[in-house]
């Protein structure tokens, strides 16, 4: 039984993805369920923000205001993500009719997409530093709002769309769900210490909430992929672009983070793909929304693999307590 529970925890993200994708496929295959579609879509739209707010609130209760400060790897990460996005945007503007435009813009979106709001949960689970991830999440959201607002009106000219309007739309989309849980957590920390202590005891709850939110997100992503009606070759290029972007960002993130490599890898590699899908639909070619669903699959598969590796390591240490984490710096604390 214990082995089954450990397996379930390690691969819960993959299980959630399978359930989410299967749920939509079952819905699509059963016409009798189709009338419930509008209600289900509205329900998901209402439930997801509540789940994310609750998850972030519990996670942010672990972070002190004094811990929110920039580190060296933050600036490196911002330079890499913003710099490559800008370079690719210039290439697209110079060759707007190129067949490579959609794959290039897919990479651009994968790079500039902000860190997932759930990243702090995964980072904590892997033994990383939640505070540094929260700080980077705030910084990359600011950078995304600025740089996307600068380039999108040039890439997709539209009457009435300028920097100010794009910037306001992006801020309105990402900041309420990011800043409000953080402020609420800090208010509870200082005004209701008993409640705060109780929340700190809910250690695994954010992870389970995230699994449910992921299941809903994958169901929506599956719908987008199923309804894809363009060239299948282009879908292959988008799939490849999302996979390579995911691998690159986890790799470079771990490189620039050094002793904080767990946090930096997650901060760059784990993305707010719901925002990516919204960004594509709102400002760019709707076909690019597919890359958000595909990226979500890649980064959650990698996260599941990391959890499985951590579970194996933990089981080994439990069997050999004399050589446990305390003896070598501790995998459970990211080696620092």
């Amino acid at each position: 039984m214990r082995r089954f529970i450990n397996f379930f925890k390690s691969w819960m993200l993959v299980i959630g993805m399978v359930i989410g994708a299967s749920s939509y496929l079952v819905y699509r295959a059963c016409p009798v369920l189709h009338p419930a579609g509008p209600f289900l879509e509205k329900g998901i739209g209402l439930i997801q923000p509540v789940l994310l707010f609750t998850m972030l609130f519990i996670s942010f209760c672990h972070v002190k205001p004094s811990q929110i400060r920039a580190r060296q790897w933050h600036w490196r990460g911002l330079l890499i993500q913003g710099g490559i996005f800008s370079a690719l945007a210039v290439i697209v503007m110079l060759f707007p009719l190129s067949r490579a435009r959609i794959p290039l813009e897919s990479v651009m979106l994968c790079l500039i997409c902000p860190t997932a709001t759930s990243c702090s949960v995964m980072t904590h689970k892997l033994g990383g530093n939640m505070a540094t991830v929260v700080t980077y999440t705030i910084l990359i959201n600011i950078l995304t709002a600025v740089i996307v607002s600068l380039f999108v009106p040039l890439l997709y000219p539209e009457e009435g769309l300028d920097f100010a309007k794009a910037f306001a739309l992006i801020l309105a989309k990402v900041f309420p769900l990011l800043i409000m849980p953080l402020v609420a957590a800090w208010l509870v920390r200082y005004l209701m210490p008993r409640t705060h202590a109780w929340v700190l005891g809910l250690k695994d709850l954010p992870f389970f909430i995230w699994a449910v939110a992921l299941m809903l997100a994958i169901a929506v992503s599956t719908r987008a992929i199923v309804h894809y009606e363009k060239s299948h070759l282009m879908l292959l290029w988008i799939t490849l672009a999302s996979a390579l972007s995911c691998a690159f960002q986890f790799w470079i993130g771990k490189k620039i983070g050094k002793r904080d490599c767990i946090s930096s890898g997650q901060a760059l590699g784990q993305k707010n793909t719901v925002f990516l899908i919204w960004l594509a639909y709102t400002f760019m070619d709707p076909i690019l929304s597919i890359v958000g669903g595909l990226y979500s699959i890649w980064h959650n598969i990698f996260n599941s693999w990391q959890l499985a590796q951590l579970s194996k390591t933990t089981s080994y240490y439990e069997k050999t307590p004399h050589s446990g984490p305390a003896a070598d710096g501790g995998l459970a604390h990211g080696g620092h």
Side-chain angles (χ1 to χ4, degrees):
M1 177 61 74
R2 184 175 181 181
R3 181 177 297 180
F4 173 79
I5 293 174
N6 289 336
F7 174 85
F8 180 78
K9 287 183 177 180
S10 299
W11 294 100
M12 185 163 55
L13 301 185
V14 171
I15 294 171
M17 292 167 63
V18 171
I19 293 175
S22 301
S23 297
Y24 176 75
L25 294 176
V26 169
Y27 162 81
R28 180 177 171 81
C30 299
V32 69
L33 299 176
H34 292 180
F39 301 99
L40 292 172
E41 185 174 6
K42 185 176 181 180
I44 291 175
L46 293 173
I47 293 171
Q48 272 189 319
V50 174
L51 291 175
L52 291 174
F53 185 96
T54 304
M55 175 187 67
L56 290 175
F57 169 75
I58 296 173
S59 300
F60 289 163
C61 280
H62 292 266
V63 179
K64 298 178 181 178
S66 60
Q67 294 176 307
I68 303 297
R69 61 180 186 274
R71 310 293 178 94
Q72 285 189 354
W73 70 260
H74 289 158
W75 307 120
R76 297 190 191 108
L78 294 173
L79 180 62
I80 290 169
Q81 292 183 274
I84 298 178
F85 175 90
S86 301
L88 293 178
V90 171
I91 293 174
V92 171
M93 285 189 290
L94 292 175
F95 306 97
L97 301 180
S98 171
R99 292 182 179 180
R101 175 165 183 159
I102 294 299
L104 285 176
E105 290 184 339
S106 297
V107 174
M108 288 166 55
L109 284 172
C110 290
L111 285 165
I112 203 59
C113 181
T115 303
T117 50
S118 59
C119 184
S120 58
V121 177
M122 186 65 192
T123 301
H124 180 65
K125 196 74 175 176
L126 293 172
N129 188 324
M130 290 179 64
T132 60
V133 168
V134 172
T135 304
Y136 189 80
T137 303
I138 294 172
L139 293 174
I140 188 60
N141 272 281
I142 295 173
L143 176 66
T144 299
V146 172
I147 204 167
V148 170
S149 301
L150 283 172
F151 281 103
V152 163
L154 300 175
L155 292 168
Y156 289 87
E158 181 181 326
E159 186 177 353
L161 180 64
D162 53 15
F163 173 84
K165 183 175 181 180
F167 187 75
L169 285 171
I170 294 173
L171 286 184
K173 180 68 176 179
V174 299
F175 269 82
L177 197 57
L178 176 65
I179 299 300
M180 289 176 63
L182 187 63
V183 172
W186 287 348
L187 288 174
V188 170
R189 171 183 287 272
Y190 293 111
L191 300 180
M192 295 179 283
R194 291 185 178 179
T195 302
H196 180 260
W198 176 77
V199 172
L200 292 180
L202 305 174
K203 295 181 180 180
D204 289 328
L205 183 58
F207 185 68
F208 289 106
I209 293 176
W210 177 30
V212 175
L214 172 63
M215 180 180 68
L216 298 176
I218 290 296
V220 175
S221 298
T222 302
R223 181 184 64 175
I225 295 172
V226 168
H227 286 280
Y228 177 83
E229 297 178 349
K230 303 291 182 179
S231 165
H232 287 87
L233 180 60
M234 185 58 69
L235 177 60
L236 178 62
W237 280 113
I238 294 174
T239 302
L240 183 62
S242 64
L244 292 177
S245 298
C246 183
F248 169 74
Q249 289 183 98
F250 272 111
W251 174 77
I252 196 67
K254 290 180 180 295
K255 286 290 184 182
I256 65 174
K258 297 181 179 179
R259 285 180 293 181
D260 198 14
C261 63
I262 293 176
S263 307
S264 57
Q266 291 304 126
L268 267 71
Q270 189 174 341
K271 298 293 188 179
N272 184 353
T273 54
V274 174
F275 172 78
L276 193 161
I277 293 170
W278 172 83
L279 189 64
Y281 266 116
T282 305
F283 297 109
M284 304 175 77
D285 191 328
I287 189 179
L288 293 167
S289 63
I290 298 294
V291 78
L294 292 169
Y295 194 101
S296 178
I297 294 172
W298 304 135
H299 81 202
N300 281 296
I301 288 176
F302 182 68
N303 281 337
S304 295
W305 177 82
Q306 291 186 104
L307 287 174
Q309 295 301 112
L310 181 64
S311 178
K312 290 179 182 179
T313 306
T314 303
S315 298
Y316 171 78
Y317 285 140
E318 288 175 351
K319 295 177 182 178
T320 56
H322 61 282
S323 59
D328 61 2
L331 174 65
H333 297 286
H336 61 278

